[in-house]
Amino acid sequence: MKEYIEERVLTIADYIIESRATVREAAKRFGVSKSTVHKDMVDRLREINPSLSQDVRRVLDVNKQERHLRGGMATREKYLHMKG
């Protein structure tokens, strides 16, 4: 694996753990696609640092469980702004 990819993977992993960021937030912050972030966190990070991979997985699992709540809140905000 190329060195710049490893650096990106580790940087994004640290960011996700520290900020409890979603894949979408991390992708926007680092200027890469959601698919790239997902592949980096699920596949590449496991090769580079398995223990860090488990920490990231925990954050991503929590985000996945809360996904429907965030979507509902976003829809609520949308309609509140439309009324006003």
Side-chain angles (χ1 to χ4, degrees):
M1 189 176 315
K2 295 187 178 179
E3 188 175 324
Y4 76 93
I5 294 175
E6 284 189 27
E7 288 178 26
R8 180 187 70 214
V9 169
L10 294 173
T11 303
I12 293 174
D14 288 339
Y15 174 74
I16 288 175
I17 291 170
E18 289 173 13
S19 65
R20 303 285 182 215
T22 62
V23 168
R24 186 179 295 240
E25 291 167 342
K28 189 173 185 178
R29 169 83 165 73
F30 291 95
V32 294
S33 71
K34 293 181 301 182
S35 300
T36 299
V37 172
H38 189 268
K39 176 124 177 123
D40 285 353
M41 296 304 102
V42 174
D43 296 334
R44 295 181 180 126
L45 185 57
R46 194 178 312 137
E47 281 181 35
I48 298 169
N49 187 334
S51 65
L52 187 60
S53 176
Q54 289 176 344
D55 294 342
V56 169
R57 183 82 252 164
R58 283 188 209 104
V59 172
L60 296 180
D61 286 345
V62 169
N63 288 341
K64 188 174 182 180
Q65 291 170 355
E66 295 174 348
R67 176 173 55 192
H68 68 284
L69 298 173
R70 280 193 294 274
M73 289 170 31
T75 301
R76 181 175 185 269
E77 288 294 317
K78 173 184 171 184
Y79 286 107
L80 285 175
H81 287 299
M82 290 174 72
K83 285 182 182 178

